């Protein structure tokens, strides 16, 4: 198994204030990794750095054997990083269909397949994204990331605000995506559901990778220490 | 408590604004005093606009309307007084005046009423729509002034002699400067206090998120309207002074170029900064007069300089010198 | 009287379409890219000057027209890459100041190169002359041609923005530039293209309009304000809105100038009627704009912000 | 039986062809947490907006504190003591965390049009505001810009702002969303105590929290209340399982 | 006894052409005279009245000039002149000469070298009458100068006015007005549309196929803008107190040297600038500028060679002069004006009697 994404020792700043102090993280081809940590510990910041929405200072981010340091965001995405961002960020004035088409790149994922995954989106295909319910927007954000036909799907709190049934569906879908060979990096709050999908956990605390290990290795002790559960 | 850089900068700016005309007076360069007076007055108009634009996020592209209303208040009252024609005879007689204080009060009241009316309509819109609808109202007033013959139309109205202020020879450049600088000081002090007050906090809030404002039980519309009126009044006050500086008013005070110019002062100096408008006005006017004498195509270097300032100085001149602000 | 009325209607339509040529580019840049571009009028001027110079040099209006498109698009692309690109993330107000500075640069630069006197540009041979319209009046062919050109542009833009993926992506970028980039779209290049396209439309308008008025420095400013009025009435970012707004302004202005003085003659002596009527006519479009925004705060076809 | 603080009868809202809330009737009793659950797009947030006065109902009646409030706008309803949080955080991004709360505090004091006295040295506003931040665990972030705190922290700030309003009823739209496991646990405990201060209409998808907290649960599907009852009633309801809970029941 | 002149004129923006011509004409005369006692400071008023006022302040307070000149636009003149002459500076107008300054507001320190604003319009009225027109359509922008122009025209026009239209200042599309002209049944059109407005109107008029003859004051058909109107201008009659074919040696020399110096034909504004400078130089030769009365008398004597031939001031210190009718013609490739007659002889303005000087 080879590393698809390799983040080593990155630091990152918002203006003068440092948010990341040394994050290490590896996602291998075909693997699903869960990035965990309490609120404000640097999960989203790490993801933004990977997607080149912000740049890191020290350390290195490599994806598919390419150093991302100098790449603009869109080039990183074209290498195969698909992002479902925190807070959804659907294009508010565009319809569901347009949101999806804006992202579309050739590959096996197309509108029909996304519609199979989320029938609700098909029902609402001409509705403006800003009038969708929270959960519908979440589905749209996932669908949109899939439309880019990524090699690595990054989900930042992708099930936030979803009804239990839908959440179960989405986890099932994520599982299927994983089965189909897609690599996945996921941030979520529900340990229970993560454990069903993830191969490994990476825990960040105060901007530093504090623990990495296989799912089974996260003892209750550790979970309490790092996640407060 | 140590002073932050912006405060120090503001003190330096204020000191410069006062020192330069004093030195000019000693050196016998009255025109420099006139220029400084212009900076003070247009800076004050900017201070007015800044309350709406900088603090309230209300980008008014029609503040020339208020500037002009102030100017015409001075022009009309003075011209009636000079010609000994009452403004109105029935049902009771109203006469013109050359007393600045009376003129200012009239300017403040008139602009407040107009701003209340314009604000009540325009504040229903937001963003670019607000920019344009304020422009629309200013343009209506502008075209009215151009084609209304009673007070000179496009030709404007001459006052001939500066209006008077008790205990001051307003015709003396340095005295008139002192008066304008003092009024600028009042306007700045007022906006400084305003912005730290409860109202100021509400105004900042209304700019950022009206949904949240309503949810906590504050009607953003009312907050904005009050800010708009206050802003208009200060600009009108500056307009009255500008009429006296030039001893002349004309519709050009009402034109969109004037609105744009006041806006440029504010942006150039630093939006939402206390001394921003003054710094912006000073820089612009100095450049205009330095370059204007040097080169026939002087607006070219002026444009390039402005562009450099926007591109490389975030937060305008004050932002460049004092560093970016942390938060409101 | 009937034929006069008809002719005035046609004039209103034509002046509306002419406005649309200008406003469409502005609404594209403004609505789609969220950029307040005061220098749009300067690009219009660039188009007119390019057309006038090339037409005088080669003797062909059509080459001038091509030149106007190219010059304005080039100027637009340059401006976008050198200046505008740094401003997307900034406040609208920084954009106002920067594009105001650009007006100064363009105007004085043009004056430096071409002098302070207006240039000559005339209607091409093929389109000069008049046509008899119903009612018997003569109507200039060129003005009819402008109507056709404007409608073609309107249709083309409508398809481009509303129906193509390029258009969708452009609109998505307005909502969230960072996000559209994270989806793998080169938003910088896309915006350069849009800006150049908007500029080219302005240049086209400049070339057309230049044939019927004076090609001189500062010609862009009055039209700029009008174009802003138009897109605000129509609703920012909406091509349909720009078209409807243009026509509304065109008709209002033309008919107001024509009918208001006549109307006031019913109440005043002719001299005052003309004076009052024309004073009101010059305010009319602003009154209409205020009224529209009063009733619909985000324009006729605008979406609530 | 005590009178309901908030009571909806036959409230309806139509968006084009879609009926987002359809003849909804429900009550919020003093001291209770009434959870409102339902699939995504069922109309929960729409209902909250209708109660808060952000959208006008097409028909039906809303009473609050013994008074019909149908004609009141959002501002007036808030002043009457209805405080709400937003599903997607809606804050003053440029304000510090503290200023966000102070602004709410000042609204409660009712004195907005004060032009002279400086607000940020006004202990009568700062102290209670700090106390609210303390309660939600954000005191150490007080001086950060709201835009610069993390997503979960913003959710906490939403809560603090609502608390500052000292309302007579809370409308909470997914307060747990975005909170980490630890945060959710803490917030659950916190809300449990809060119901004594004022009753809560709680929209939430986190079933652990709902089942732990709710006195009553109403289930909204396609704009209609299909069931109302205790936690056990709802857990056992087959319709609810199918439409919403899935395996979580 | 050195003399310092402050010239405030429009050198930037859309109206710059006029100011540049006036300045170039003025400076040509200064250069030719090569009088070391004369210095000139020039500033750009940007066509804004407030800037003009401030420049006047600057020139008076800091530059300590003795004479002001250069203003093109009436509204700027109204802003500057009254206070300048009140401060005992001389003002010599190279163009703008509003009625207020000719009548009640006349001042011994104020001289108009060009004309009084109404003059050319009056001449157009006179010409329309003598050409036998009976139904004239009149049109001007809706601002004071526009209304003055129509009043001036009517003062000397004996026929009927078949339509009267005030357009918006700065208007660029005249289709609606042209339609009205076509429908009015007029036998002639008088229009006063300075600058770009006139260019736009004449181009559109030519395009519209309406062939009712146009009459206007020289402003819309002057050398600086004829090129921009193109052949559409050919044949249009316009009234002027100067033309490049006025037959005298001064004028011939002026036209030649101007063209040699600047590479273009002089415009009417250039001629005013040139005359103004020569008037000033003539007074400098006779009197000390610090002896105001003597200098004023020397100016009043107008003892210089004008490009217009004879030149005398009336009692209100505005010229009494012949006003010609010109027609636009093409000389080779260049459009220019040719005198075809005289509209008014020894014409004085209508306000002189109100002047208490
Ligand atoms: N735009 C910003 N400017 C300054 N600081 C920021 C900004 N965004 C986040 N931070 C800070 O960086 C740290 C890490 O934030 P980040 O969003 O990465 O946390 P997170 O782990 O994703 O938390 P959550 O689970 O709440 O989403 C936090 O302390 C936060 O306050
Ligand atoms: N302004 C609107 N115009 C049209 N449809 C709307 C509008 N607002 C909401 N809707 C639709 O109404 C339905 C209810 O939306 P609402 O936001 O109330 O759902 P919700 O129950 O809060 O869902 P979630 O749990 O996902 O937040 C959704 O299908 C949504 O698309
Ligand atoms: Mg996060
Ligand atoms: Mg919801």
């Amino acid at each position: 198994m080879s590393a698809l994404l390799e983040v080593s020792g990155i630091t990152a700043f918002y203006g003068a204030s440092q948010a990341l102090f040394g994050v290490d993280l590896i996602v291998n081809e075909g693997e699903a990794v869960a990035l965990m940590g309490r609120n404000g510990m640097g999960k989203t910041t790490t993801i933004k750095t990977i997607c080149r929405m912000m740049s890191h200072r020290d350390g290195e981010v490599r994806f598919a054997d390419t150093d991302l340091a100098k790449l603009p965001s869109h080039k990183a995405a074209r290498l195969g990083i698909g992002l479902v961002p925190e807070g959804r960020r659907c294009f508010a004035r565009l319809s569901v269909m347009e949101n999806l088409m804006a992202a579309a790149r050739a590959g096996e994922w197309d509108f029909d397949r996304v519609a199979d995954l989320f029938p609700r989106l098909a029902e609402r295909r001409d509705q403006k994204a800003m009038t969708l319910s929270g959960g519908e927007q979440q589905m749209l954000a996932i669908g949109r990331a899939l439309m880019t036909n990524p090699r690595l799907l990054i989900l930042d709190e992708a099930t936030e605000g979803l009804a239990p049934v839908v959440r179960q569906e989405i986890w099932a879908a994520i599982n299927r995506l994983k089965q189909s060979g897609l690599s996945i990096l996921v941030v979520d709050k529900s340990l229970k559901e993560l454990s069903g999908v993830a191969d490994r956990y990476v825990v960040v605390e105060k901007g530093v990778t504090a623990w990495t290990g296989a799912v089974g290795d996260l003892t209750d002790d550790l979970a309490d220490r790092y996640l407060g559960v | 408590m140590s002073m932050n850089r912006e405060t120090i900068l503001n003190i330096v700016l204020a000191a410069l604004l006062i020192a330069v005309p004093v030195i000019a007076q000693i050196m016998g360069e009255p025109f420099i005093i006139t220029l400084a007076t212009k900076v003070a007055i247009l800076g004050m108009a900017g201070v007015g606009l800044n309350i709406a634009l900088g603090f309230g996020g209300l980008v008014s592209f029609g503040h020339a309307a208020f500037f002009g209303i102030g100017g015409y208040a001075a022009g009309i009252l003075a011209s009636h007084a000079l010609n000994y024609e009452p403004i109105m005879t029935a049902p009771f007689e109203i006469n013109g005046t050359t007393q600045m204080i009376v003129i200012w009060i009239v300017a403040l009241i008139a602009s407040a009423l107009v701003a209340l009316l314009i604000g009540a309509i325009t504040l229903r819109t937001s963003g670019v729509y607000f920019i344009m609808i304020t422009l629309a109202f200013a343009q209506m007033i502008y075209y009215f002034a151009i084609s209304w013959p009673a007070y000179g139309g496009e030709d404007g109205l001459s006052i001939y002699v500066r209006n008077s202020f008790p205990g001051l020879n307003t015709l003396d450049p340095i005295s008139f400067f002192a008066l304008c600088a003092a009024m600028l000081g009042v306007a700045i002090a007022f906006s400084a206090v305003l912005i730290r007050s409860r109202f100021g906090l509400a105004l900042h809030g209304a700019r950022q998120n009206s949904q949240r404002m309503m949810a906590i039980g504050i009607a953003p519309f009312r907050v904005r309207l009050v800010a708009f009126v206050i802003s208009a009044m200060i600009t009108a006050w500056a307009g009255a002074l500008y009429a006296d500086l030039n001893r002349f008013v004309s519709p050009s005070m009402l034109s969109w170029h004037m609105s744009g110019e006041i806006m440029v002062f504010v942006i150039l100096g630093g939006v939402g900064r206390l001394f921003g408008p003054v710094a912006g006005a000073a820089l612009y006017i100095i450049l205009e007069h330095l370059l204007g004498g040097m080169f026939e195509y002087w607006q070219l270097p002026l444009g390039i300089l402005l562009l450099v300032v926007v591109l490389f100085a975030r937060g305008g001149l004050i932002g460049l010198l004092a560093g970016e602000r942390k938060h409101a | 009287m009937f034929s006069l009325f008809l002719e005035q209607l046609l004039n209103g339509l034509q002046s509306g379409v002419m406005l649309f040529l200008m406003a469409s580019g502005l609404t594209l840049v403004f609505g789609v890219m969220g950029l307040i571009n005061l220098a749009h009028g300067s690009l219009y001027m660039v188009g007119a000057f390019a057309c006038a110079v090339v037409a005088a040099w080669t003797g062909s209006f059509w080459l001038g027209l091509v030149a106007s498109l190219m010059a304005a698009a080039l100027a637009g692309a340059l401006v976008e890459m050198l200046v505008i690109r740094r401003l997307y993330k900034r406040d609208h107000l920084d954009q106002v100041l920067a594009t105001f500075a650009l007006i100064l640069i363009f105007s004085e630069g043009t004056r430096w190169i071409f002098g302070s006197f207006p240039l000559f540009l005339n209607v091409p041979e093929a389109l000069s002359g008049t046509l008899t319209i119903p009612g018997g009046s003569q109507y200039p062919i060129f003005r009819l041609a402008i109507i056709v050109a404007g409608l073609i542009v309107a249709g083309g833009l409508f398809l481009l923005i509303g129906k193509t993926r390029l258009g969708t992506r452009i609109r998505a970028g307005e909502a969230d530039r960072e996000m559209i980039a994270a989806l793998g779209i080169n938003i910088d290049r896309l915006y350069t293209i849009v800006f150049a396209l908007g500029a080219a439309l302005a240049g086209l308008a400049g070339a057309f309009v230049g044939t019927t008025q004076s090609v001189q420095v500062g010609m862009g400013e009055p039209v700029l304000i009008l174009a802003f009025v138009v897109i605000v009435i129509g609703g920012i970012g909406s091509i349909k809105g720009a078209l409807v707004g243009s026509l509304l302004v065109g008709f209002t202005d033309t008919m107001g100038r024509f009918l208001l003085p006549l109307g006031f003659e019913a109440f005043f002596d002719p001299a005052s009627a003309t004076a009052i009527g024309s004073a009101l006519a010059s305010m009319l479009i602003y009154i209409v704009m205020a009224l529209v925004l009063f009733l619909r705060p985000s324009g006729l076809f605008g979406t609530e912000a | 039986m005590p009178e309901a603080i908030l009571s909806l009868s036959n409230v309806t809202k139509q968006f084009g062809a879609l009926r987002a809330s359809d003849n909804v009737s429900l009550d919020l009793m003093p001291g209770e947490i009434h959870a409102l659950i339902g699939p995504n797009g069922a109309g929960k947030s729409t209902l909250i907006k209708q109660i808060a006065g952000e959208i006008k109902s097409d028909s039906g009646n809303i009473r609050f504190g013994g008074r019909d409030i149908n004609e009141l706008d959002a501002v007036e309803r808030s002043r009457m003591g209805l405080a709400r949080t937003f599903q997607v955080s809606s804050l003053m991004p440029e304000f510090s965390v503290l200023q966000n709360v102070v602004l709410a505090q000042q609204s409660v004091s009712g004195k907005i049009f004060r032009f002279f006295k400086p607000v940020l040295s006004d202990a009568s506003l700062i102290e209670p505001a700090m106390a609210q931040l303390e309660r939600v665990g954000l005191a150490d972030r007080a001086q950060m810009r709201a835009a610069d705190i993390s997503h979960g922290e913003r959710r906490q700030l939403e809560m603090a702002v609502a608390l500052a309003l000292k309302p007579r009823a809370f409308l909470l739209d997914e307060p747990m969303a975005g909170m980490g496991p630890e945060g959710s646990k803490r917030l659950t405990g916190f809300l449990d105590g809060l119901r004594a201060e004022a009753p809560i209409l709680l929209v939430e998808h986190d079933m652990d929290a709902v089942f732990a907290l709710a006195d009553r649960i109403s289930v909204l599907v396609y704009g209609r209340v299909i069931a109302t009852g205790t936690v056990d009633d709802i857990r056992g309801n087959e319709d609810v399982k199918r439409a919403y809970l899935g395996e979580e029941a | 006894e050195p003399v310092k002149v402050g010239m405030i004129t429009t050198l930037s923006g859309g109206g710059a052409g006029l100011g540049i011509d006036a300045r170039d004409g003025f400076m040509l005369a200064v250069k030719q005279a090569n009088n070391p006692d004369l210095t000139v400071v020039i500033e750009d008023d940007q066509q804004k009245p407030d800037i003009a006022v401030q420049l006047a302040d600057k020139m008076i307070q800091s530059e300590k000039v003795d004479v002001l000149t250069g203003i093109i636009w009436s509204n700027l003149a109204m802003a500057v002149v009254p206070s300048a002459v009140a401060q005992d500076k001389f003002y010599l107008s190279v163009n703008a000469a509003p009625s207020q300054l000719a009548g009640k507001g006349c001042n011994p320190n104020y001289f108009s070298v060009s004309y009084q604003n109404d003059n050319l319009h009056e001449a157009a009225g006179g010409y329309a009458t003598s050409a036998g027109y009976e139904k004239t359509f009149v049109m001007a922008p809706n601002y004071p100068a526009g209304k003055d122009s129509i009043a001036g025209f009517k003062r000397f026009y004996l026929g009927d006015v078949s339509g009267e239209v005030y357009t918006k200042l700065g208007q660029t599309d005249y289709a609606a007005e042209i339609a009205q002209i076509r429908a009015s049944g007029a036998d002639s059109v008088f229009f006063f549309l300075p600058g770009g407005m006139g260019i736009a109107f004449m181009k559109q008029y030519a395009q519209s196929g309406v062939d009712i003859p146009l009459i206007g004051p020289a402003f819309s058909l002057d050398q600086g803008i004829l090129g921009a109107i193109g052949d559409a201008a050919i044949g249009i009659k316009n009234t002027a107190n100067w033309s490049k074919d006025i037959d005298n040696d001064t004028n011939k020399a002026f036209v030649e040297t101007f063209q040699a110096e600047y590479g273009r034909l002089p415009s009417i504004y250039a001629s005013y600038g040139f005359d103004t400078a020569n008037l000033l130089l003539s007074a400098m030769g006779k009197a000390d500028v610090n002896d105001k009365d003597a200098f004023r008398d020397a100016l009043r004597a107008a003892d210089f060679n004008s490009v217009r031939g004879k030149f005398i001031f009336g009692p209100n210190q505005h010229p009494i002069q012949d006003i010609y009718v010109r027609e636009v013609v093409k000389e080779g490739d260049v459009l220019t004006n040719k005198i075809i007659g005289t509209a008014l002889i020894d014409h004085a303005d209508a306000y002189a009697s109100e002047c208490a000087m």
Side-chain angles (χ1 to χ4, degrees), chain C residues 111 121 138 210 212-213 257, chain E residues 11 173 177 182 203-204:
Chain C
R111 214 162 64 82
L121 177 62
Q138 302 289 306
T212 67
Q213 42 169 272
R257 267 149 55 198
Chain E
L11 300 174
D173 187 43
E177 288 74 13
R182 190 203 316 265
K203 278 167 116 176
Q204 292 165 24

Side-chain angles (χ1 to χ4, degrees), chain C residues 4 7-8 11 14-15 18 108 111 116-123 129-130 137-143 209-218 222 226 253-254 257-258 262 271 274-275 278-283 285-286, chain E residues 11-18 20-21 44 142 147 154 164-180 182-183 195-197 199-201 203-204 207-209 224-232 264:
Chain C
L4 177 60
E7 189 177 345
Q8 296 292 30
N11 283 331
Q14 184 266 334
S15 107
M18 202 123 94
E108 287 296 281
R111 214 162 64 82
S116 299
F117 299 95
L119 300 191
F120 173 72
L121 177 62
N122 205 358
V123 172
T130 59
S137 283
Q138 302 289 306
Y139 202 78
I141 295 172
F142 187 66
R143 287 184 183 256
V209 176
T211 57
T212 67
Q213 42 169 272
S214 71
V215 177
Q216 62 180 14
V217 172
L226 269 188
D253 190 42
T254 305
R257 267 149 55 198
F258 167 49
L262 289 180
T274 325
S278 12
L280 201 60
S282 50
M283 292 185 244
I285 55 164
Y286 297 103
Chain E
L11 300 174
S12 63
L18 286 64
I20 288 172
D21 270 348
D44 173 18
N142 193 18
K147 290 176 182 155
K154 287 178 178 167
E164 183 168 336
V165 164
Y166 291 101
T167 60
K168 184 154 119 181
L169 195 61
Q171 186 172 318
T172 50
D173 187 43
Y174 292 90
E177 288 74 13
I178 291 169
Q180 277 170 273
R182 190 203 316 265
M197 294 187 275
I199 301 176
F201 171 70
K203 278 167 116 176
Q204 292 165 24
Q207 289 160 12
S208 75
I225 54 178
L226 274 179
I229 309 169
D231 291 352
R264 62 177 194 269

Side-chain angles (χ1 to χ4, degrees), chain C:
Chain C
M1 193 66 201
F2 167 75
S3 81
L4 177 60
F5 196 79
L6 192 75
E7 189 177 345
Q8 296 292 30
L9 277 179
L10 215 51
N11 283 331
L13 175 68
Q14 184 266 334
S15 107
V17 169
M18 202 123 94
L19 264 178
F20 172 76
L21 282 178
M22 179 77 181
S24 56
L26 192 63
T27 209
L28 195 67
V29 168
F30 193 174
V32 170
M33 301 166 56
L35 178 92
I36 299 196
N37 180 20
L38 297 182
H40 200 71
S42 300
L43 297 166
Y44 166 90
M45 178 181 76
V46 167
F49 271 82
C51 187
V53 168
V54 172
W57 189 40
T58 63
S60 157
F61 171 82
W62 303 108
L63 284 179
L65 197 64
V66 173
S68 74
L69 282 170
M70 292 199 322
L74 189 70
L78 274 178
V79 161
E80 201 275 345
M81 289 193 286
L82 295 178
V83 179
I84 307 290
R85 181 167 291 183
R86 301 161 200 269
L87 298 175
Y88 293 123
K89 283 198 192 130
R90 306 270 195 97
D91 204 310
H92 270 339
L93 290 172
D94 282 353
Q95 303 170 356
V96 167
L97 181 55
T99 51
F100 170 80
L102 284 174
I103 295 186
L104 296 181
I105 293 172
F106 269 110
S107 296
E108 287 296 281
T110 310
R111 214 162 64 82
W112 202 2
I113 301 172
F114 296 103
S116 299
F117 299 95
L119 300 191
F120 173 72
L121 177 62
N122 205 358
V123 172
E125 204 56 53
L127 297 177
S128 58
T130 59
L131 219 74
T132 309
I133 55 168
S137 283
Q138 302 289 306
Y139 202 78
I141 295 172
F142 187 66
R143 287 184 183 256
L144 294 173
I146 288 181
I147 297 180
V148 173
L151 295 179
I152 292 174
V153 168
L157 272 181
F158 192 72
L159 290 180
L160 176 73
I161 298 304
K163 302 284 182 248
T164 66
R165 182 172 300 178
L166 180 74
T168 312
R169 288 183 167 164
I170 293 169
R171 283 183 293 142
E174 187 223 348
D176 194 337
R177 272 177 70 80
E178 198 180 50
M179 193 60 227
I180 191 85
L183 290 171
I185 289 148
N186 187 348
I187 187 74
D188 287 346
R189 202 181 58 203
L190 203 60
Y191 272 26
T192 307
I193 294 172
V194 176
F195 200 84
L197 178 65
L201 285 170
L204 181 73
F208 272 131
V209 176
T211 57
T212 67
Q213 42 169 272
S214 71
V215 177
Q216 62 180 14
V217 172
M219 64 186 288
E221 290 176 29
V223 215
L224 175 74
I225 292 280
L226 269 188
F228 268 110
V229 168
V230 160
I231 64 172
V232 163
I233 289 182
I236 291 162
S238 157
I239 300 291
K240 186 164 70 176
L243 184 61
V244 173
S246 303
L247 294 179
L248 186 64
V249 168
F251 280 120
T252 312
D253 190 42
T254 305
M255 294 321 253
R257 267 149 55 198
F258 167 49
L259 293 178
L260 276 175
L262 289 180
F264 276 100
E265 278 187 28
F267 308 101
F268 301 96
D269 63 283
S272 346
T274 325
I276 301 172
S278 12
L280 201 60
S282 50
M283 292 185 244
L284 198 59
I285 55 164
Y286 297 103
I287 297 176
V288 168
M289 164 153 112
L291 214 63
V292 167
L293 291 186
F294 181 72
L295 298 172
R296 292 186 64 104
S298 30
L300 293 174
F301 295 94
T303 35
E304 205 63 56

Side-chain angles (χ1 to χ4, degrees), chain E:
Chain E
E1 30 0 329
V3 172
K4 197 163 183 185
V5 176
M7 174 175 266
I8 300 170
T9 195
T10 304
L11 300 174
S12 63
L18 286 64
I20 288 172
D21 270 348
R23 177 196 66 186
D24 290 351
F26 191 94
M27 293 313 286
L28 180 65
V30 171
K31 191 172 165 204
Q32 286 173 352
N34 196 16
N35 183 339
D37 285 338
L38 179 62
T39 45
V40 186
V41 272
I42 302 172
E43 292 270 7
D44 173 18
D45 61 32
Q46 306 174 44
Q47 208 176 333
K48 293 180 188 160
D50 50 336
I51 300 286
V53 172
Q54 289 147 18
L55 289 174
D57 280 349
K58 172 179 177 182
M59 295 197 162
I60 294 170
Q61 293 168 356
S62 293
E63 305 281 358
K64 311 255 187 302
V65 300
D66 308 290
V67 178
L68 282 163
T69 184
I71 293 177
I72 301 293
W73 317 95
S74 294
N75 56 336
L76 273 64
M78 285 306 297
V80 167
V81 173
S83 96
V85 293
Q87 295 175 65
D88 223 14
K89 302 293 166 192
F90 289 104
Y91 186 90
L92 309 180
S93 179
V94 296
N95 189 50
S99 55
Q100 295 94 317
L101 298 177
K104 281 204 195 80
C106 68
N107 186 293
N109 290 338
Y110 172 74
F111 292 82
S112 171
V113 182
S114 50
Y115 47 62
Q116 195 282 316
N117 273 1
D118 296 5
N119 287 166
L120 305 193
H121 311 298
E122 290 166 343
Y127 166 71
T129 306
S130 64
Y133 292 125
E134 286 168 353
K135 285 184 293 175
T136 302
F137 190 99
V138 298
M139 179 160 98
N142 193 18
Y143 73 126
K147 290 176 182 155
D148 287 353
S149 83
I150 287 189
F153 177 84
K154 287 178 178 167
R155 204 172 288 136
F156 283 75
Y157 175 60
L158 300 177
D160 291 330
V161 171
S162 71
E164 183 168 336
V165 164
Y166 291 101
T167 60
K168 184 154 119 181
L169 195 61
Q171 186 172 318
T172 50
D173 187 43
Y174 292 90
E177 288 74 13
I178 291 169
Q180 277 170 273
I181 291 173
R182 190 203 316 265
S184 70
D187 59 6
S188 54
V189 176
F190 167 75
F191 72 104
F192 166 59
L193 293 168
M197 294 187 275
I199 301 176
F201 171 70
M202 280 178 278
K203 278 167 116 176
Q204 292 165 24
Y205 193 75
Q207 289 160 12
S208 75
V210 180
D211 50 10
I212 305 168
L214 296 176
I215 308 164
F219 314 118
S220 302
L221 293 144
D222 197 48
Q223 200 60 53
I225 54 178
L226 274 179
I229 309 169
D231 291 352
I234 293 176
I236 299 181
K237 311 287 190 295
N238 63 94
T239 50
N241 51 352
W242 174 83
S243 181
K244 90 178 199 308
D245 55 346
I246 293 179
D247 194 11
N248 65 58
D249 293 343
T250 315
N251 196 33
K252 270 200 200 96
F254 164 63
V255 174
E256 259 168 42
T257 49
F258 189 96
Q259 201 165 11
E261 181 80 25
Y262 302 107
R264 62 177 194 269
L265 284 173
S267 71
I268 203 166
Y269 309 103
S271 85
Y272 298 152
F274 189 76
D275 269 359
T276 305
N278 280 324
L279 168 70
L280 180 71
L281 286 160
S282 76
M284 281 171 66
K286 283 182 167 179
D288 180 347
V289 74
N290 296 317
D291 181 351
K292 300 278 176 197
D293 291 330
F295 199 78
R296 190 179 300 116
D297 287 340
L299 284 171
R300 217 178 263 147
D303 198 359
F304 70 105
N305 290 327
S306 165
V307 291
R308 285 170 244 174
K310 62 183 174 177
F311 188 102
I312 20 171
F313 279 121
N316 59 349
Q317 300 177 169
H318 285 60
I320 294 178
Q321 58 190 337
D322 295 346
I323 303 179
Y324 309 98
V325 183
R326 309 188 296 183
E327 181 178 324
V328 179
V329 294
K330 203 161 191 176
E331 286 177 357
D333 262 353
V334 185
L335 289 164
T336 188
N337 281 289
K338 208 178 80 188
I339 293 180
I340 56 165
T342 307
L344 298 171
I345 294 175
D346 283 342
H347 180 59
D349 62 273
Y351 306 95
S353 58
E354 293 169 23
C355 171
M357 218 148 58

